Amino acid sequence: MSGSDPGKLISKADNLTTLSLTRWSADWESATRLYEQAANGFRVSKDYEKAKLAFEKASKGREMLSSPWDAAKSMESAAALAKELRNWTEVIDFYRKASELYMQCDRPQFASDSLAKAARAVEDALPSDAIKLYSDACVLLEDDRKEQMALDLYHAVTNIYVKLEKYTDAVAFLLKLGLAADKCNATNSQCKAYLSAVIVYLYAHDLKQAEKCYNDCSQIDAFLRSDQNRFAGKLLSAYKEGDVEEIKRVAQSRSITNLDSVIIKLARKLPTGDVAAFKTNAAIGEEEALDENDLK
Amino acid sequence: MSVIDILTRVDVICKRYDKYDVEKQRDQNVSGGDAFARAYAAVEADIESALEKVELASKEKSKASAVAVNAEIRRTKARLLEEVPTLQRLAVKGISTEEMAARNDLVLALPDRIQAIPDGTAATKQTGGWMSSAPSASRTAIKFDSDERFDNEYFQESEQSSQFRQEYEMRKMKQDQGLDMISEGLDTLKNMAHDMNEELDRQVPLMDEIDTKVDKAAADLKNTNVRLKDTVTQLRSSRNFCIDIILLCIVLGIAAYLYNVLKK
């Protein structure tokens, strides 16, 4: 059987499944087997289009046989082949279908896994879709209270946002990362997330937001006691003084190298823009404070 | 002797050998760059000299010279009190908020110190016996045995000592560098350890799941094995076995009989 032409196997299987006068009920079992064999044959001969179709049909067969697990697995294989063909919409569709089937088997981890695979595949081509897929995957994991697995996904979303230069969204996701890390007591990841958030704000040259963010995060005990807190404080005071050399020196220190690679790149490029503006603002603020004292 | 006496004696000895304290000398030189620090150092020096004059005055035998010294002290005090406001203004131009506050505190303490210098006028108003014990300690005459021989040249650095000091500085620098490298390495280690911790925490519930599933599978296997054993023993029970042997013997007997008959 394995030696015969996969095309013939497909047509045979099609015959078995189509209903006609001579056939009253479709024989899904043998049909599915034939579909799978055909799909493997096509894959070996690198005919991805036909292999993808065969996997799709095999998955449908498995669904009919009420085994959503195998159906999901076939769907994933189909999606992987669609990725080879660079057919992104199909990739997304197949992976979504696979994740639904996994949810039917009551395995949310695998479901979020397939969504994550989809997002990774379309990251470069369709970043907004990738973001949506990642967020759905994170939601699935959080519903199952497995936030720790979600940490990597949050990192990936942040990286996409940074690439798209949407810094506020990136920070939002970093804060969500911090929240998830908090729920599973991953204090190191949490502190690193908050520090990354401050750095992203500074890269976007928004000192006020960075300070607000830093103050908010300082409310959290774990962050307050950590090295990352001290480092963030040093960085912010260097910014307030407007001392470019100091900023560069602080940014080269060890704490940065422990963070995610994308964040490291941002930190190396600090300071962006004119820090002298921050310095004069800060000085004006101090003089005003003195005036108030004199009035008293 | 009492603790206070020991303290005053130690203070006097330290002041005497101040010139050996390189760090203090260096600090005094460094503060020369800052206007406030210079002025403050000048005022402090004046206060010190006024206190020394007080000691001299208490040792004076003739009343006239004591009165003259006291008058001089009073003039110095008035001059110093005038300088305090200028110091205050200089203090406000400080660098950072913490330093400003510290300097303000120092300047505010100055008037009290100046007033506390005893000038023979309001001796009864002195605060407790503490101020009086200072001159009293000097009255018990802390004497240095080799007093006269200590001139400036005696305190100069010899070549050996300066070389030694240099070597000490170099070694200290090298140690600092080494410690910096160690701290970097420790930083990396700490980060790695934290990440490993989190990873293991992540895997604990997965292991628990595996545990339960494997337990279930093991129980199923055990069950199946027991049933299989039952079936097999049933198949090969001794009764069936005996029947098999008897039938086999009968067949052999029949075969032998036939063989004998046919041979004949």
Side-chain angles (χ1 to χ4, degrees):
Chain A
M1 267 298 214
S2 53
S4 59
D5 185 23
K8 281 208 208 109
L9 290 171
I10 284 247
S11 39
K12 209 164 160 189
D14 279 332
N15 283 341
L16 284 170
T17 52
T18 45
L19 299 170
S20 62
L21 284 172
T22 49
R23 195 183 295 282
W24 292 94
S25 66
D27 182 9
W28 283 109
E29 273 208 40
S30 30
T32 316
R33 247 181 309 122
L34 290 170
Y35 278 134
E36 282 178 355
Q37 276 174 353
N40 285 329
F42 279 131
R43 195 162 44 177
V44 163
S45 57
K46 301 227 189 295
D47 191 351
Y48 293 132
E49 185 66 47
K50 296 217 182 87
K52 180 170 63 96
L53 277 169
F55 270 124
E56 247 187 282
K57 295 196 182 140
S59 159
K60 187 148 182 299
R62 289 279 177 201
E63 239 188 291
M64 292 293 168
L65 294 171
S66 327
S67 59
W69 179 260
D70 296 309
K73 282 253 177 284
S74 310
M75 236 347 150
E76 280 205 338
S77 321
L81 291 165
K83 193 166 78 158
E84 298 286 327
L85 294 169
R86 310 185 94 75
N87 193 339
W88 306 123
T89 37
E90 275 197 6
V91 167
I92 297 179
D93 284 332
F94 288 157
Y95 272 124
R96 274 208 189 273
K97 191 112 208 312
S99 96
E100 277 166 21
L101 290 164
Y102 279 127
M103 287 303 284
Q104 276 181 16
C105 306
D106 201 21
R107 308 287 284 271
Q109 249 179 301
F110 281 95
S112 89
D113 221 10
S114 52
L115 287 177
K117 277 191 229 170
R120 223 165 292 141
V122 303
E123 226 171 22
D124 296 319
L126 303 165
S128 36
D129 286 318
I131 290 172
K132 183 126 203 327
L133 288 163
Y134 273 128
S135 337
D136 291 339
C138 295
V139 164
L140 280 173
L141 283 172
E142 290 191 344
D143 287 337
D144 196 35
R145 287 183 291 120
K146 287 214 167 49
E147 297 90 1
Q148 265 177 328
M149 316 287 174
L151 297 180
D152 289 328
L153 299 175
Y154 281 127
H155 266 303
V157 178
T158 316
N159 292 345
I160 298 181
Y161 271 130
V162 166
K163 249 199 299 186
L164 295 174
E165 304 201 353
K166 291 203 184 125
Y167 297 118
T168 28
D169 295 320
V171 172
F173 263 92
L174 278 169
L175 294 175
K176 269 197 227 172
L177 213 185
L179 182 62
D182 190 44
K183 279 200 215 133
C184 47
N185 287 332
T187 35
N188 203 25
S189 296
Q190 192 183 9
C191 301
K192 285 201 269 196
Y194 292 143
L195 180 58
S196 312
V198 172
I199 290 178
V200 170
Y201 267 135
L202 287 175
Y203 187 77
H205 209 57
D206 195 348
L207 183 62
K208 281 213 174 27
Q209 285 288 354
E211 285 189 359
K212 252 199 296 179
C213 180
Y214 175 67
N215 288 335
D216 287 335
C217 300
S218 308
Q219 310 268 351
I220 299 169
D221 264 342
F223 183 64
L224 200 59
R225 277 182 273 135
S226 70
D227 292 332
Q228 280 87 1
N229 182 24
R230 269 188 297 124
F231 177 77
K234 269 197 273 181
L235 194 58
L236 281 171
S237 55
Y239 251 88
K240 268 191 272 204
E241 316 232 319
D243 190 354
V244 178
E245 283 306 316
E246 177 73 20
I247 295 173
K248 284 213 172 69
R249 206 174 49 84
V250 171
Q252 301 296 335
S253 84
R254 283 318 269 188
S255 287
I256 291 282
T257 41
N258 297 337
L259 299 173
D260 203 25
S261 51
V262 173
I263 311 283
I264 297 179
K265 275 191 240 157
L266 290 185
R268 294 270 154 84
K269 292 200 200 130
L270 283 178
T272 52
D274 188 21
V275 286
F278 290 140
K279 186 177 176 187
T280 46
N281 281 341
I284 289 169
E286 279 182 24
E287 282 174 22
E288 283 179 13
L290 279 174
D291 286 338
E292 284 177 30
N293 283 336
D294 287 342
L295 282 174
K296 278 187 198 162
Chain B
M1 69 171 80
S2 68
V3 176
I4 297 181
D5 280 335
I6 297 179
L7 281 172
T8 37
R9 285 168 90 97
V10 169
D11 265 335
V12 173
I13 296 175
C14 284
K15 249 190 262 179
R16 197 96 201 175
Y17 287 101
D18 240 350
K19 300 203 181 99
Y20 275 140
D21 193 349
V22 181
E23 307 245 327
K24 208 168 179 186
Q25 305 282 7
R26 232 184 285 153
D27 282 342
Q28 283 176 354
N29 290 337
V30 163
S31 64
D34 189 7
F36 172 82
R38 258 181 288 147
Y40 188 75
V43 171
E44 287 238 307
D46 285 335
I47 294 177
E48 291 292 330
S49 54
L51 283 167
E52 275 173 32
K53 278 198 210 132
V54 163
E55 285 181 36
L56 263 173
S58 55
K59 280 193 234 154
E60 283 295 323
K61 297 289 192 312
S62 76
K63 273 282 189 183
S65 37
V67 167
V69 174
N70 277 335
E72 211 186 306
I73 292 171
R74 259 173 269 144
R75 271 207 301 278
T76 328
K77 275 169 73 172
R79 187 174 47 88
L80 289 173
L81 279 169
E82 277 170 28
E83 282 184 20
V84 167
T86 35
L87 258 182
Q88 247 183 343
R89 255 183 291 131
L90 278 174
V92 169
K93 289 192 202 155
I95 298 172
S96 63
T97 37
E98 308 98 45
E99 271 194 47
M100 218 163 72
R103 285 180 177 185
N104 261 329
D105 288 334
L106 285 170
V107 171
L108 285 169
L110 270 181
D112 290 324
R113 284 173 67 187
I114 296 173
Q115 292 290 359
I117 300 175
D119 57 3
T121 47
T124 47
K125 283 207 210 127
Q126 293 299 340
T127 47
W130 189 81
M131 284 311 294
S132 55
S133 70
S136 80
S138 59
R139 259 185 268 128
T140 52
I142 299 172
K143 264 195 158 163
F144 286 89
D145 284 329
S146 46
D147 225 351
E148 286 74 47
R149 281 185 270 134
F150 282 5
D151 56 351
N152 255 347
E153 255 190 37
Y154 195 81
F155 289 108
Q156 281 304 335
E157 288 182 341
S158 74
E159 201 183 298
Q160 265 185 340
S161 73
S162 54
Q163 254 185 359
F164 185 75
R165 190 170 289 287
Q166 259 182 358
E167 207 185 315
Y168 157 76
E169 298 283 340
M170 290 277 299
R171 292 220 183 148
K172 196 161 152 209
M173 220 167 55
K174 283 218 184 81
Q175 273 189 1
D176 282 340
Q177 278 174 352
L179 286 171
D180 278 335
M181 280 175 49
I182 293 177
S183 100
E184 266 186 36
L186 280 176
D187 233 340
T188 319
L189 272 177
K190 179 180 171 192
N191 182 52
M192 283 208 285
H194 268 296
D195 285 340
M196 278 163 67
N197 189 17
E198 285 181 9
E199 191 60 41
L200 286 171
D201 280 339
R202 206 189 287 197
Q203 298 191 348
V204 162
L206 297 176
M207 295 297 286
D208 288 337
E209 249 186 73
I210 293 178
D211 212 9
T212 29
K213 286 196 185 161
V214 166
D215 280 340
K216 188 159 160 293
D220 280 342
L221 261 177
K222 229 178 179 175
N223 217 2
T224 316
N225 271 343
V226 165
R227 293 219 313 256
L228 194 62
K229 190 174 169 193
D230 280 340
T231 321
V232 167
T233 30
Q234 221 179 19
L235 276 174
R236 302 182 76 215
S237 66
S238 16
R239 197 176 45 157
N240 293 347
F241 198 56
C242 290
I243 293 178
D244 286 337
I245 293 192
I246 291 171
L247 286 173
L248 197 64
C249 293
I250 293 175
V251 164
L252 279 174
I254 295 175
Y257 178 69
L258 281 172
Y259 179 66
N260 283 336
V261 163
L262 283 172
K263 210 170 138 185
K264 281 204 195 129

